[in-house]
Amino acid sequence: MSNYSLTRDQKLEIYYWMRLTRTFDDIAVAYWKQGRGVGGMFSERGHEAISVGTGYALAPEDVVAPLHRDLGCYLLRGLTLRRVFSNLLGRATGTNAGRDANMHGSGDMSLNLVGFISHLPQTVPVALGVAMSFVYRNEPRVAMTYIGDGSTSAGLFHETLNMAAVFNAPLVLIVENNQYAYSTPLVQQMKIPDIATRAAGYGIPGNIVEGNDVEAVYAVTKEAVERARAGGGPTLIEAKTMRMMGHAIHDGAEYVPRELLAEWERKNPVILFEQQLLAQGLTDQEELDEIKHRCEIEVTDAIEYAEKAPLPDPATVEQGVYAE
Amino acid sequence: MSQLPNNFGFADPEQIADTTRELTYIAAISEALREEMRRDPNVFVMGEDIGGTFGGAFKVTKGFTDEFGEKRVLNMPMAELGFVGAATGMALMGLRPVIEMQFADFISTAFDSIVQFAATNHYRWGAAVPWVIRAPSDGGLRSGPFHSQNPEAWFVHTPGLKVVAPATPADAKGLLLAAIRDDNPVIYFESKPLYRSEKGYVPPGDYVVPIGQANLARTGNDLSIITYGAQVREALTAAEQLAVEDIDVEVLDLRTLKPLDTEAILTTARKTGKVLIVHSANRLVGVGAEVAAIISDQAFEWLDAPIRRLGGLDTPIPFSPPLEDAYRPNAAKIVQMAKELAAF
Ligand SMILES: Cc1ncc(C[n+]2csc(CCOP(=O)(O)OP(=O)(O)O)c2C)c(N)n1
Ligand SMILES: [Mg+2]
């Protein structure tokens, strides 16, 4: 792991992406609570260290398929806040011009981003196929995607990891274990304490990482990514965290014990990283505040842009069903 | 598609002169795959048991591993949902997977990967998914409920897919080449009952049968039979018998089920004024229902009789010969219905 230590600049860059993700979330959640949003919206609160730490471990030529709690990964791959917020509001300037809801379908192959669909975990075999294309063409590239704890109950989790192992595919699968699948707690989903142990059933490495510690997430992911790139095959990584809001914006999550949330709020990944940076003497509060301020300006700009952006023309509704 | 030469039947004058070059339907499929894999390094095959010396349940890819190697002949674990999803990922990266379903019946196992992910992808975020699924379909072979199905209607109902169903060896080759070169997910229903019993002239070399074009398999004036797949042969057999009784039948082979060749459908309906639609799949909400709706919408004034449909029964496909024969359309049933329609 120590092979993959980060420079000060890299750490501050990671902090910026985490802070941007959290700022976006705070503002978007408030926006929806005021009834100004369109359709549903997923909060990624609590997942910042996972989405940024894993995404940061990829090279630009690698391909990633993030999910609904991985805003940080989309942003650091180059998806702009303007496109994201436009899409949330169903605007023509959105990532997919209002074709798909919230972060769904936020794919852009020019950024090596694959858009996900609702059917979980359908993205997992698709990412395997991307990885298999690298084997086919002898390219030293890696595919990465994510899966929630709940979605590991579906057969595709098994089908894909088994095939990934058989084909020695350069695939990294991140389990975002946030302890709930909608309202269903882990104990009603599985009888094992650690999802990562399932990796043994496929003959591939399985790692567990503290999902709120971005440096740890980065290190374990980077190791898996570079192993895959070097021909070492797939890895399953389980990042343990907590979903800090409801399943989606409409959900008050009354079923989650408040003590559990309080316990995890003490491990807030963004604050945790701030404390680490300060303790390591790499920055000061003034610089962190400056980054925070910059994030607020960027999110505000994206919202203003999206609000003024045109809605899609209904005359285009039948366009694009087929590639011509 | 538009940039591809539509030179079906006119490929190479010298070779075309050899009109004795006959292939079985299944050999035409195999030839199309082999030639396309030689031509385009992005094309490869994947499926269960297709590799090694075995070459697939029906031997379509026999010898392929020898010629193309294991990288381009991917023997897959038994996990259709997963490997169709993987094919989508490979297609997103610009490869052109041709997936063999061992039997069309098992395609339901991969349903989400087809209709939810692959089919919607281009509409949602503009990335093409150029794969083909070859689905060995249809019955009459005493194979029972799970090796005889014709599930095309599910996919015709799905926006974003294309669906083809060749009836002749020449179309089997030309439509497969068109399907592989198409930038969209295409389901290619090949008819098992035609595999080794249907032989015909197949142009050598490169040609495509454009997706979306029906073929007038026989011209006639009294009534039109609109059909596809293995029922084209049944319809042509029926037409011969009907000719003896002075009923002059036109047979339109749809060839592509999505998008339908609406012009060809309307042209034959308007010409004869009487239409019998036939398919092996069960009749209820089958492709024939849409064809009938198109005709009643746009050719109503030309009709001299109600549109008739003949399809499978609304039951699972039974195994025992008298039961399967009662289930499935055939030439004798077509003759019977056509006579009634002619007399209307
Ligand atoms: C196949 C399928 N069934 C049901 C749903 C509805 N649904 C959306 S997210 C979700 C829970 C997912 O839980 P998990 O995988 O743990 O991810 P999380 O949302 O907690 O990050 C459910 C049931 C779905 N998207 N897909
Ligand atoms: Mg969860």
Side-chain angles (χ1 to χ4, degrees):
Chain A
M1 284 199 191
S2 51
N3 298 342
Y4 301 117
S5 55
L6 293 157
T7 65
R8 176 190 178 277
D9 284 354
Q10 287 177 314
K11 287 185 187 183
L12 283 180
E13 198 189 343
I14 286 174
Y15 174 72
Y16 161 75
W17 291 119
M18 287 175 72
R19 176 47 75 189
L20 187 64
T21 304
R22 175 59 69 105
T23 302
F24 183 97
D25 196 73
D26 285 344
I27 293 177
V29 166
Y31 198 91
W32 255 256
K33 293 217 158 143
Q34 291 159 10
R36 297 161 75 194
V38 179
M41 179 262 172
F42 291 92
S43 168
E44 55 277 338
R45 201 170 297 180
H47 286 247
E48 295 87 353
I50 301 175
S51 71
V52 174
T54 55
Y56 201 77
L58 296 177
E61 67 271 19
D62 297 334
V63 175
V64 60
L67 294 188
H68 51 303
R69 303 197 200 281
D70 301 320
L71 179 70
C73 183
Y74 289 103
L75 297 178
L76 71 79
R77 297 294 296 187
L79 198 63
T80 63
L81 283 168
R82 285 182 170 195
R83 288 178 77 191
V84 172
F85 212 87
S86 292
N87 215 70
L88 286 177
L89 295 187
R91 304 293 158 148
T93 50
T95 317
N96 53 52
R99 292 294 205 242
D100 207 344
N102 46 70
M103 293 308 292
H104 288 70
S106 288
D108 182 339
M109 288 315 277
S110 73
L111 302 173
N112 285 324
L113 276 175
V114 173
F116 74 98
I117 71 167
S118 269
H119 293 63
L120 296 168
Q122 267 282 330
T123 305
V124 174
V126 174
L128 167 64
V130 171
M132 287 170 69
S133 81
F134 301 149
V135 175
Y136 188 95
R137 289 175 165 150
N138 266 321
E139 294 172 331
R141 300 167 73 186
V142 177
M144 186 168 83
T145 190
Y146 303 81
I147 186 169
D149 45 276
S151 309
T152 65
S153 299
L156 266 184
F157 175 78
H158 164 74
E159 290 189 21
T160 306
L161 283 182
N162 183 55
M163 286 192 287
V166 168
F167 289 100
N168 199 42
L171 175 73
V172 178
L173 179 58
I174 311 291
V175 180
E176 300 186 73
N177 183 349
N178 62 10
Q179 315 200 37
Y180 280 84
Y182 206 154
S183 75
T184 306
L186 279 177
V187 288
Q188 291 175 28
Q189 301 179 53
M190 61 194 74
K191 285 209 84 168
I192 53 172
D194 299 311
I195 296 168
T197 58
R198 292 183 182 161
Y202 308 106
I204 64 171
N207 300 127
I208 298 170
V209 67
E210 168 55 61
N212 286 22
D213 180 345
V214 73
E215 293 196 67
V217 170
Y218 168 80
V220 74
T221 310
K222 183 78 178 162
E223 189 177 299
V225 165
E226 295 315 324
R227 179 169 52 239
R229 196 187 309 287
T235 301
L236 179 67
I237 295 172
E238 178 185 7
K240 293 189 192 277
T241 187
M242 179 69 206
R243 194 190 73 205
M244 298 305 289
M245 301 275 293
H247 169 64
I249 196 74
H250 65 273
D251 174 26
E254 296 78 11
Y255 48 82
V256 176
R258 298 296 112 171
E259 314 80 69
L260 190 59
L261 288 172
E263 176 196 327
W264 280 88
E265 187 49 44
R266 287 194 288 278
K267 295 189 272 188
N268 177 326
V270 187
I271 308 288
L272 200 69
F273 193 40
E274 282 182 1
Q275 289 165 352
Q276 284 168 0
L277 290 172
L278 292 169
Q280 291 167 15
L282 295 176
T283 185
D284 54 22
Q285 193 58 46
E286 198 182 334
E287 189 175 28
L288 294 178
D289 288 346
E290 188 275 318
I291 292 174
K292 200 170 166 181
H293 185 59
R294 183 148 53 96
C295 292
E296 281 161 7
I297 290 172
E298 287 180 37
V299 174
T300 309
D301 163 79
I303 293 175
E304 281 171 6
Y305 174 86
E307 285 174 340
K308 285 193 213 114
L311 286 160
D313 178 355
T316 64
V317 66
E318 288 183 302
Q319 287 173 12
V321 178
Y322 292 94
E324 302 295 340
Chain B
M1 278 307 309
S2 47
Q3 78 278 10
L4 296 169
N6 171 18
N7 54 359
F8 174 42
F10 305 92
D12 176 333
E14 237 169 282
Q15 288 175 306
I16 292 299
D18 178 13
T19 51
T20 60
R21 184 183 182 273
E22 291 214 331
L23 291 184
T24 60
Y25 181 94
I26 196 167
I29 294 170
S30 189
E31 179 172 286
L33 277 176
R34 192 185 290 272
E35 290 182 4
E36 196 65 353
M37 284 177 70
R38 286 178 184 161
R39 197 160 26 237
D40 182 353
N42 289 325
V43 177
F44 68 95
V45 289
M46 63 195 288
E48 291 159 15
D49 306 298
I50 65 168
T53 53
F54 189 65
F58 297 101
K59 310 292 179 210
V60 171
T61 53
K62 196 165 172 58
F64 277 42
T65 302
D66 273 351
E67 177 169 355
F68 300 106
E70 284 184 358
K71 254 192 186 173
R72 298 183 67 199
V73 184
L74 292 178
N75 227 14
M76 299 308 292
M78 219 183 93
E80 289 86 355
L81 183 66
F83 70 65
V84 172
T88 297
M90 297 178 89
L92 282 173
M93 300 309 293
L95 297 175
R96 293 188 178 264
V98 183
I99 306 147
E100 177 173 300
M101 281 289 144
Q102 202 154 63
F103 287 82
D105 312 62
F106 302 121
I107 204 168
S108 52
T109 305
F111 206 56
D112 272 356
S113 297
I114 298 168
V115 308
Q116 304 293 357
F117 205 113
T120 64
N121 207 70
H122 194 269
Y123 187 71
R124 294 182 312 111
W125 56 282
V129 181
W131 55 235
V132 179
I133 293 179
R134 290 181 36 240
S137 60
D138 213 341
L141 303 170
R142 317 321 186 189
S143 305
F146 306 111
H147 293 74
S148 309
Q149 295 174 18
N150 296 281
E152 61 269 17
W154 297 340
F155 303 104
V156 173
H157 197 66
T158 302
L161 298 177
K162 295 187 180 181
V163 182
V164 300
T168 67
D171 285 353
K173 180 176 174 184
L175 271 174
L176 185 50
L177 293 175
I180 295 171
R181 295 173 194 181
D182 197 284
D183 285 338
N184 297 283
V186 182
I187 318 250
Y188 175 96
F189 284 101
E190 48 196 58
S191 291
K192 298 195 301 289
L194 302 180
Y195 268 172
R196 291 183 168 80
S197 64
E198 187 64 21
K199 270 188 126 177
Y201 171 65
V202 174
D206 187 12
Y207 67 93
V208 295
V209 172
I211 292 177
Q213 284 185 14
N215 176 46
L216 205 53
R218 178 188 171 106
T219 54
N221 290 305
D222 295 340
L223 67 93
S224 304
I225 299 176
I226 301 178
T227 185
Y228 58 88
Q231 292 299 332
V232 172
R233 182 166 72 183
E234 300 298 318
L236 290 171
T237 305
E240 292 290 317
Q241 294 171 23
L242 290 159
V244 175
E245 305 188 32
D246 259 0
I247 301 173
D248 187 17
V249 174
E250 181 147 301
V251 177
L252 183 70
D253 171 6
L254 290 172
R255 300 201 289 195
T256 295
L257 309 181
K258 187 183 185 78
L260 281 168
D261 186 345
T262 306
E263 271 322 301
I265 291 167
L266 293 173
T267 301
T268 188
R270 287 171 181 155
K271 176 180 173 190
T272 65
K274 292 183 176 181
V275 177
L276 170 60
I277 303 163
V278 182
H279 49 60
S280 298
N282 50 333
R283 192 187 66 182
L284 189 78
V285 203
V287 171
E290 184 64 26
V291 174
I294 289 170
I295 294 168
S296 66
D297 262 1
Q298 297 179 56
F300 188 74
E301 305 93 286
W302 283 267
L303 292 180
D304 297 322
I307 301 163
R308 297 288 190 216
R309 286 181 294 144
L310 175 61
L313 303 178
D314 200 31
T315 69
I317 303 166
F319 160 66
S320 180
L323 295 177
E324 189 180 25
D325 292 344
Y327 167 89
R328 193 169 176 272
N330 58 29
K333 293 181 196 177
I334 295 173
V335 167
Q336 183 60 33
M337 277 190 89
K339 278 189 193 170
E340 288 166 21
L341 191 56
F344 187 90

